[in-house]
Amino acid sequence: MPEVIFAGPAGRLEGRYQPSKEKSAPIAIVLHPHPQFGGTMNNKIVYDLFYMFQKRDFTTLRFNFRGIGRSQGEFDHGTGELSDAAAALDWVQSLHPDSKSCWVAGYSFGSWIGMQLLMRRPEIEGFISVAPQPNTYDFSFLAPCPSSGLIIHGDADKVAPPKDVQTLVDKLHTQKGITITQKTLPGANHFFANDSELLIQECADYLDRRLAGELADPRPKRLR
């Protein structure tokens, strides 16, 4: 997969990019865990999510947030990282103007950034949120959440306790016009230490069902 460097708000951003052969293929962006706790685009779960989308012929990008790897800038507590994600999506869209839809997948800190990006970009029609941390990050901006998606986490997660994730899911379930699918993996911790294959399998099953027209309320296409 090609290594790429593209312009971000705080300097260059480093990524890995795999274009689809189809000009109108959907775009997928995968966002990594917390930069200050070892999160990078080469995290195994991030890599596996990237490959999952790539196998389904998405145009796919993962990248390092500012200050990680060869990406310039410094950690910005989420604000700058959201700007990085928006710049990454802009960059892919500039190369693929015929692509009409987009998905965002994020793991841990990356899921918080991804959900914020979802609120800002109407072309994002689906999301995969792996081990979100509503106990640490404020998700109240999801009012309402504009797209259907998957929230997947482990029932032995001490970093993002299941009861906090459940509160977030319950809140989203009250919203009309979207379908939130929840998967809880028994025995899995925040790092999916022995459960990463099952995690990716569940994400792939969800994506396949969405691509087949399931698990999302029919709704008018949001315009950019």
Side-chain angles (χ1 to χ4, degrees):
M1 67 203 70
E3 297 183 22
V4 291
I5 297 285
F6 56 93
R12 295 189 305 273
L13 292 172
E14 172 192 19
R16 298 291 183 274
Y17 156 73
Q18 190 65 55
S20 169
K21 295 182 180 68
E22 293 292 326
K23 286 176 66 176
S24 60
I27 290 165
I29 291 195
V30 186
L31 305 175
H32 70 70
H34 201 295
Q36 294 191 314
F37 297 100
T40 80
M41 67 173 173
N42 294 321
N43 171 278
K44 177 170 170 36
I45 289 169
V46 170
Y47 174 85
D48 288 346
L49 288 168
F50 177 96
Y51 187 61
M52 175 191 78
F53 281 109
Q54 184 190 328
K55 279 206 301 189
R56 285 154 183 81
D57 211 26
F58 280 67
T59 285
T60 312
L61 174 72
R62 69 188 202 271
F63 70 95
N64 279 328
F65 288 125
R66 56 185 62 197
I68 297 299
R70 292 161 62 202
S71 291
Q72 295 178 319
E74 296 179 354
F75 178 66
D76 193 34
H77 305 281
T79 304
E81 287 73 19
L82 175 57
S83 297
D84 293 344
L89 182 53
D90 287 341
W91 179 78
V92 182
Q93 287 176 330
S94 72
L95 298 176
H96 298 271
D98 294 325
S99 181
K100 299 295 186 288
S101 68
C102 177
W103 278 64
V104 62
Y107 172 27
S108 193
F109 173 85
S111 73
W112 180 53
I113 301 299
M115 298 295 271
Q116 292 179 77
L117 186 66
L118 178 76
M119 295 296 294
R120 296 181 171 208
R121 304 297 285 260
E123 65 272 28
I124 297 178
E125 65 177 28
F127 70 86
I128 294 175
S129 185
V130 178
Q133 295 172 256
N135 55 313
T136 302
Y137 305 116
D138 182 4
F139 281 82
S140 62
F141 57 83
L142 293 169
C145 177
S147 299
S148 298
L150 170 68
I151 293 178
I152 184 164
H153 60 117
D155 71 0
D157 191 332
K158 292 184 168 59
V159 178
K163 65 179 177 57
D164 296 299
V165 178
Q166 192 62 53
T167 299
L168 171 63
V169 171
D170 290 346
K171 178 185 167 190
L172 294 176
H173 276 325
T174 67
Q175 298 183 11
K176 293 182 170 41
I178 60 168
T179 301
I180 301 299
T181 302
Q182 179 186 20
K183 289 282 183 182
T184 307
L185 303 188
N189 62 21
H190 193 67
F191 307 100
F192 300 92
N194 299 308
D195 302 282
S196 62
E197 284 188 20
L198 177 60
L199 169 71
I200 298 302
Q201 182 184 326
E202 291 283 3
C203 292
D205 288 348
Y206 175 79
L207 181 57
D208 288 339
R209 291 184 68 184
R210 279 292 301 273
L211 295 175
E214 303 175 40
L215 301 176
D217 284 9
R219 60 192 174 92
K221 179 71 181 156
R222 296 186 297 149
L223 300 175
R224 285 191 206 173

